[in-house]
Structure formats: structure tokens, C-alpha cells
Amino acid sequence: MTCPSLLVRRPAAGEPAGSVVDRLRGEDTVAQFARFVLVGGSTTLVYAALFVALEGFGYLPAHVVATAASTVLANEMHRRLTFHAGERVTWLTAQLEAGGVTVIGLLLSSAALGVLDSLAPDAGVVTQVALVVTVTGLVGLMRFIALRWLFRPRSVTTA
């Protein structure tokens, strides 16, 4: 065998690791929320890397560009991975639905950065990113609720 990963024993379905993976693949609210948090955490790292890389242009341009890029990525990952909606929701629809909530988050986090800059103009990049992550986490919860319950497809009922 030339592939070392084939030598690794994979957990059986009833074993703890297998059940965690199976659990994450579920379609219930808890499984979707867990995937939502994992995607959100991943794209927050993308945001932070872009923000730090672009900070030389000022906190607001760095924030807007990092937010836009990480949001497009998050929306697509949520469409495909979190909600398994790749077949029933188009890329544009996902960007518009989740993007609306994101605009609210962008406004709130930009305002928070502005307040931080006026109160503590020497605040470091770690403090700025921590503030944005906190505000974004709260907006993310609103976003999950919107995507899970408001923008989900309605079932057709017949009389």
C-alpha cells in the first residue's frame, strides 16, 4: 500500500468519532448550527487575515474589503455545506438573502470600530478584530435564524 492514510483505522458508525461526523451531517437545527459555527469560524479567520493584511489602508477600508470577501465565501459555504442547498438555491439568491443580513452586520461593526477609534485611537489590531468578531458573532446568530427559518423553502400544502 502506497497511501499511508489507507492504513489508518477508520472508526465504525457506532464509535464516538463516527457518531460526531454522522451528527454533523444531520439536517436538524443542532447539526446545521454546528456547521454554521464551523463555517463562521473558518471565514472569520479569512476576515482576520485580510483585515491585518490591509490595515495599512486604514481600519475602515480594511474592514469593508475583508467583510465583503469573507461574506461571499461564507454565503457560498453556508449554501453548500451548512444548509445543503446547492441544488435548490442559486449562488445569487444565497448572496442576496444572506448579504442583506450581512449589510446590517457591516453597519454595526463599522459603527463599533468608529466608536472604538474615537474612544481609544491607539487600540491595536487585535482589539479591533476582537470587537468585530464579537459584533459579527451576534449578527451571525441573527443570520442563522434568518437563513434557517425565514429564507427556507416553504412546503406546498394542498387542501
Side-chain angles (χ1 to χ4, degrees):
M1 227 179 266
T2 58
C3 184
S5 65
L6 293 176
L7 298 173
V8 177
R9 182 183 171 277
R10 307 237 189 264
E15 292 180 47
S19 63
V20 170
V21 171
D22 291 341
R23 186 73 185 104
L24 281 174
R25 289 182 179 156
E27 290 304 317
D28 59 279
T29 302
V30 173
Q32 285 183 342
F33 188 70
R35 290 192 307 267
F36 188 85
V37 169
L38 290 170
V39 166
S42 302
T43 56
T44 297
L45 292 175
V46 170
Y47 167 87
L50 287 171
F51 185 86
V52 169
L54 300 171
E55 188 198 15
F57 295 104
Y59 74 85
L60 194 55
H63 175 57
V64 170
V65 170
T67 297
S70 63
T71 296
V72 169
L73 177 62
N75 291 346
E76 182 62 8
M77 290 175 72
H78 286 313
R79 180 176 81 96
R80 291 177 181 229
L81 303 174
T82 303
F83 297 108
H84 298 151
E87 298 295 319
R88 65 184 191 298
V89 177
T90 67
W91 179 87
L92 182 60
T93 299
Q95 295 302 324
L96 292 174
E97 288 177 348
V101 177
T102 300
V103 168
I104 295 168
L106 178 62
L107 294 172
L108 290 173
S109 56
S110 295
L113 281 172
V115 169
L116 177 65
D117 187 55
S118 67
L119 295 176
D122 296 330
V125 69
V126 172
T127 303
Q128 292 172 334
V129 169
L131 176 64
V132 170
V133 167
T134 301
V135 172
T136 303
L138 294 172
V139 172
L141 184 58
M142 288 181 359
R143 188 174 172 187
F144 178 78
I145 291 167
L147 292 173
R148 175 77 168 111
W149 287 289
L150 299 179
F151 295 124
R152 72 176 181 187
R154 304 283 183 235
S155 59
V156 178
T157 57
T158 57

